[in-house]
Structures are given as structure tokens and as C-alpha cells.
Amino acid sequence: MAHIGIDQPVVTMVNIFTVEPANQQKLVDILIEATDAVMSKVDGFVSANIHASLDGTRVVNYAQWKSEEHFTAMLQNPEVHPHFGEVRAIATPERHLYKVVYTEDAHV
């Protein structure tokens, strides 16, 4: 499970995929399969969270890695490449790395 906080020693990858509504569920399925089968076993993986937009045109992958170096090494891992090809066949990704700089919870 993702733990979002400025005290977490992770790098966050946010990948926003643009997709045709007819392919949104297929993209979600591909990302979940890739995470379960490959990504979750790659050194440095912390968590992944897949979000589907209500209008069907976007899917967001919010993933945490132990470090930028772990993330970069994952990109070089040949086991992940088939999944990247499947994704790019139906969606356009826009990926960036982030660090958490602020969080706030509801005051009850």
C-alpha cells in the first residue's frame, strides 16, 4: 500500500495515460497484470495504484520506488518491455518523477 508523506524515503512516478474510452479497461488490465507479474518483483518497487478517470479517457499510475536509481534500473529491465509495448499500442503515456513535499489530512 502506498504511504504518502514527506517523511517517506521514496520517489513517486506519476504516469498519466491518454486512452480511448473503449480501451480504458483493457489498459487498466494490462497495468494490473504488469504490476502483479513483473513490477512488484523488481528490486526497489514499493507500491502501485491505478486510477481510471470517470470519463474513460485517462488512466493514472501512481507508483512508488525506493529511489530514482531503482526506477531507472527498472526501465532497463527486459522483463518490463513487453508490457510497455502493449500499453503504447492503445495509450499515450506521460510519465514524470516526483517527491512529496506536502500532505494534509481532514481535521475531524
Side-chain angles (χ1 to χ4, degrees):
M1 177 190 312
H3 297 281
I4 302 171
I6 60 174
D7 60 338
Q8 297 297 313
V10 297
V11 64
T12 302
M13 185 272 310
V14 178
N15 200 344
I16 302 171
F17 299 91
T18 302
V19 63
E20 292 296 323
N23 285 325
Q24 186 189 52
Q25 187 59 52
K26 181 177 180 180
L27 176 59
V28 166
D29 294 343
I30 291 169
L31 294 172
I32 291 171
E33 158 64 25
T35 301
D36 287 346
V38 179
M39 298 296 184
S40 64
K41 296 167 181 60
V42 173
D43 185 42
F45 175 84
V46 175
S47 68
N49 302 271
I50 310 299
H51 306 259
S53 69
L54 298 180
D55 68 1
T57 64
R58 302 271 191 293
V59 173
V60 175
N61 181 358
Y62 179 100
Q64 295 175 322
W65 292 85
K66 288 183 180 176
S67 69
E68 187 173 353
E69 292 75 22
H70 283 99
F71 177 79
T72 301
M74 174 276 297
L75 293 176
Q76 305 306 316
N77 186 328
E79 292 180 37
V80 304
H81 293 184
H83 297 289
F84 290 162
E86 285 183 272
V87 167
R88 287 192 183 104
I90 61 170
T92 303
E94 183 180 334
R95 176 184 67 221
H96 298 281
L97 295 178
Y98 298 87
K99 66 178 180 176
V100 177
V101 296
Y102 178 79
T103 62
E104 182 62 53
D105 292 325
H107 299 281
V108 184

